Amino acid sequence: MTETTTRGSRRGRSARREARQNRSAHSIPYITRNIPVSNLMSDEAMEIIEANADTILEEIGINFVDDPESIQLWKDAGADIDGERVRFPKGLCRNLIKTAPSEFTQFARNSARNVQIGGKNIVLAPVYGPPFVHCLDKGRRYGTLEDFQNFVKLAYMAPAIHHSGGTVCEPVDLPVNKRHFDMVYSHIKYSDKPFMGSVTAPERAQDSVDMASLVFGEEFVQNNCVMLNLINANSPLTYDATMLGALKVYAANNQAAVVSPFILSGAMSPVSPAGTLSQLLAEAMAGIAMTQLIKPGTPVVFGTFVSSISMQSGAPTFGTPESLLVLSGAAQLARRLNVPFRSGGAFTASKLPDAQAANEASQTLLMTVMSGVNFALHSAGWLEGGLCSSYEKFVMDIDQCAMMEVLARGIATDENGQAMDAVREVGPGGHYLGCDHTQRNFEQAFYRSKLADNNSVEQWEADGSLDMAMRANQLWKKMLAEYEAPALDPAIDEALIEFIQKRKSSFPDSNV
């Protein structure tokens, strides 16, 4: 056999395999789980943590910094005010939270991509927040608007990513006070999946609402959720004016705040999982309750970002058993509050898309699904403790996300799933390779990774001896080369561009 024939044969096999994958690939707007959640804590343990959280709220309180309006809201609601410290009578926050919906729809500009947040549903979203980006070709560097747009396109093209996310990386080449316009516009222009708004200043939150109103219509926005927004508590036990300002804008406009204490256990909360859970529950309840003070019934998500630190160096660590226990426990607490829950993702402290990155990310992503998380930021692309958005890890992670979808389906027990016809046909001592049931099901019987190499070592060497990261490098480039933008009404596009130009020209550039 000639070298040319061998290469042609390999290409033929690859083409047939890709064709099979494309036929079996399907895009669903979100995952509906058919497997039970894994509750790792007893009801008695939950009651202890809830009682401790109530004690924290009542006796210690939460600081609301540099925001007299928020202080007045709480005073009018019956809280005890001491300067910026707010103490909450027992039951106040929990009673306010009762008006929050247990499940809600976030609408996308393509209605086929609407997501249902809460209940048995899982929505996976990409990485959020890194100032740096990384790829094998250029290494680590500051993110640009082009990088931002690339990650939006990759998320749009990935069937296992259901949401466009928010700050998929910081476009550092744009002024801080104006980059939110380009970020929100990129989500609208280059994707038709749901997206998140800006939270870095109240006026930027309002710009996000105004841009969404141009897309969906003002009346629709006021009556439906079209944006999520990430509101971090400044743990321990503090909300700052920036986050509070954004929370108030979004809640007043009926847009869902993802109220998320950001905690590194050992630095921002006690080292013990139970102590961390008590603190984060108190922080989350205060923020969630505030959304209901502003507009009862507005959608809201109980969120948390929790990891631990190395007690030797102080560096964040990910995929550790303690952080996974807290993730699971927080999910249980959210269900007991009857509100949707955000946590999890594909975390790693690794600096490269290597074995450490894969191990830590898969640990967290698996617990995300098993614990019943409803909205998972950072499901693809997170590297270096969240400082980097990685092109290679992005496509490695979406492969894992697609596996989670299959896992969440559970085991089918219909007639085809039981496969009794196959057992009868094959009988003792036979094999199933050629039986009718196998022929009907083989193309979709097992998950087929687009990145894993399961060939012989000889075939692997003939294909270039590529490791996972190298194959991922090829895949993200292929995806971007094949990207086609979703349709956007030209009148809406024109209105958005006009709005952005008018707003940008109304104030000077600033990096504050």
Side-chain angles (χ1 to χ4, degrees):
M1 183 179 291
T2 67
E3 181 181 356
T4 302
T5 305
T6 303
R7 285 201 301 267
S9 176
R10 287 200 300 269
R11 284 197 297 269
R13 284 196 297 271
S14 297
R16 289 192 296 272
R17 181 176 62 186
E18 184 170 349
R20 288 196 302 269
Q21 289 173 340
N22 289 338
R23 284 197 301 271
S24 63
H26 63 289
S27 180
I28 59 172
Y30 53 90
I31 297 170
T32 301
R33 59 184 306 121
N34 291 317
I35 57 175
V37 295
S38 298
N39 290 325
L40 301 184
M41 299 185 69
S42 66
D43 288 342
E44 181 183 8
M46 289 286 99
E47 291 166 3
I48 290 170
I49 288 165
E50 288 168 341
N52 288 342
D54 287 342
T55 299
I56 291 170
L57 288 169
E58 186 175 19
E59 297 181 8
I60 301 170
I62 308 283
N63 279 359
F64 289 77
V65 178
D66 295 328
D67 194 342
E69 182 183 20
S70 294
I71 297 291
Q72 189 61 48
L73 276 171
W74 282 116
K75 183 177 182 180
D76 294 343
D80 179 28
I81 308 301
D82 181 11
E84 294 183 330
R85 182 72 58 89
V86 178
R87 294 180 175 86
F88 308 84
K90 187 174 181 179
L92 173 61
C93 289
R94 196 172 293 274
N95 286 331
L96 288 168
I97 291 169
K98 289 178 180 178
T99 60
S102 60
E103 189 173 330
F104 64 92
T105 302
Q106 184 188 355
F107 291 86
R109 68 178 185 86
N110 176 354
S111 60
R113 300 190 185 277
N114 295 347
V115 294
Q116 196 71 10
I117 298 177
K120 293 184 176 181
N121 308 308
I122 307 170
V123 176
L124 303 179
V127 62
Y128 184 109
F132 299 101
V133 298
H134 183 279
C135 68
L136 295 186
D137 307 278
K138 299 179 181 179
R140 184 181 190 264
R141 62 193 188 282
Y142 278 109
T144 65
L145 180 59
E146 181 181 5
D147 291 309
F148 188 98
Q149 292 168 347
N150 282 344
F151 283 113
V152 170
K153 293 173 182 178
L154 289 172
Y156 168 69
M157 295 185 73
I161 297 296
H162 314 114
H163 201 281
S164 196
T167 309
V168 288
C169 72
E170 283 284 354
V172 179
D173 54 337
L174 299 177
V176 168
N177 67 333
K178 295 182 179 179
R179 64 180 62 155
H180 65 286
F181 293 110
D182 300 271
M183 295 159 72
V184 173
Y185 177 74
S186 294
H187 283 297
I188 296 169
K189 176 73 172 180
Y190 299 111
S191 178
D192 60 4
K193 294 182 179 182
F195 61 93
M196 303 177 75
S198 176
V199 295
T200 51
E203 61 271 19
R204 298 169 200 168
Q206 187 60 55
D207 286 330
S208 302
V209 172
D210 293 342
M211 291 176 70
S213 297
L214 293 173
V215 176
F216 294 92
E218 185 175 351
E219 183 178 355
F220 189 88
V221 168
Q222 293 303 313
N223 291 287
N224 299 277
C225 177
V226 302
M227 278 187 298
L228 299 185
N229 58 92
L230 182 60
I231 304 298
N232 285 132
N234 191 0
S235 302
L237 303 175
T238 301
Y239 281 91
D240 61 44
T242 299
M243 290 288 98
L244 291 170
L247 180 150
K248 287 183 288 187
V249 168
Y250 284 117
N253 287 279
N254 199 50
Q255 302 308 302
V258 184
V259 180
S260 299
F262 184 99
I263 289 176
L264 295 175
S265 297
M268 301 156 75
S269 74
V271 295
S272 64
T276 292
L277 283 166
S278 298
Q279 179 186 306
L280 76 82
L281 177 59
E283 292 171 343
M285 286 175 66
I288 294 168
M290 187 169 170
T291 68
Q292 302 307 296
L293 270 182
I294 296 164
K295 188 172 185 178
T298 193
V300 63
V301 178
F302 179 149
T304 186
F305 174 94
V306 177
S307 192
S308 52
I309 62 168
S310 166
M311 300 309 291
Q312 287 70 46
S313 67
T317 56
F318 297 94
T320 61
E322 294 82 6
S323 64
L324 301 181
L325 287 168
V326 172
L327 189 163
S328 178
Q332 287 181 248
L333 291 168
R335 284 191 289 276
R336 290 166 68 92
L337 276 179
N338 201 31
V339 292
F341 181 61
R342 169 257 159 163
S343 193
F347 301 134
T348 182
S350 181
K351 317 307 179 284
L352 295 169
D354 57 9
Q356 179 186 344
N359 287 342
E360 293 174 348
S362 60
Q363 288 271 38
T364 310
L365 194 58
L366 183 61
M367 185 60 77
T368 298
V369 173
M370 299 303 291
S371 295
V373 169
N374 300 121
F375 180 71
L377 269 178
H378 314 305
S379 294
W382 170 290
L383 196 69
E384 198 190 329
L387 289 176
C388 261
S389 294
S390 162
Y391 282 88
E392 285 79 23
K393 188 165 179 292
F394 195 100
V395 294
M396 291 165 63
D397 288 337
I398 62 178
D399 194 43
Q400 290 287 316
C401 290
M403 294 184 196
M404 296 301 103
E405 177 198 319
V406 177
L407 175 67
R409 284 187 219 148
I411 295 176
T413 56
D414 59 3
E415 184 176 348
N416 184 68
Q418 293 176 51
M420 290 301 295
D421 58 327
V423 179
R424 289 189 177 98
E425 179 184 342
V426 173
H431 68 76
Y432 288 85
L433 292 175
C435 77
D436 289 343
H437 185 272
T438 301
Q439 293 300 306
R440 292 196 310 268
N441 289 278
F442 81 96
E443 288 190 341
Q444 299 185 36
F446 307 113
Y447 178 80
R448 288 188 176 102
S449 170
K450 290 188 176 182
L451 281 176
D453 186 288
N454 301 307
N455 293 320
S456 67
V457 67
E458 292 81 9
Q459 184 65 58
W460 173 72
E461 288 172 345
D463 289 339
S465 304
L466 304 180
D467 65 15
M468 175 73 85
M470 294 174 184
R471 295 192 295 272
N473 180 267
Q474 292 180 343
L475 181 56
W476 71 257
K477 291 175 181 176
K478 180 175 183 288
M479 291 174 68
L480 289 180
E482 295 174 351
Y483 167 82
E484 294 182 10
L488 176 62
D489 185 332
I492 291 176
D493 196 16
E494 183 178 341
L496 286 166
I497 292 171
E498 182 181 352
F499 173 84
I500 291 170
Q501 290 175 341
K502 184 176 180 180
R503 285 284 292 127
K504 281 187 173 182
S505 64
S506 68
F507 54 92
D509 293 357
S510 170
N511 281 319
V512 177

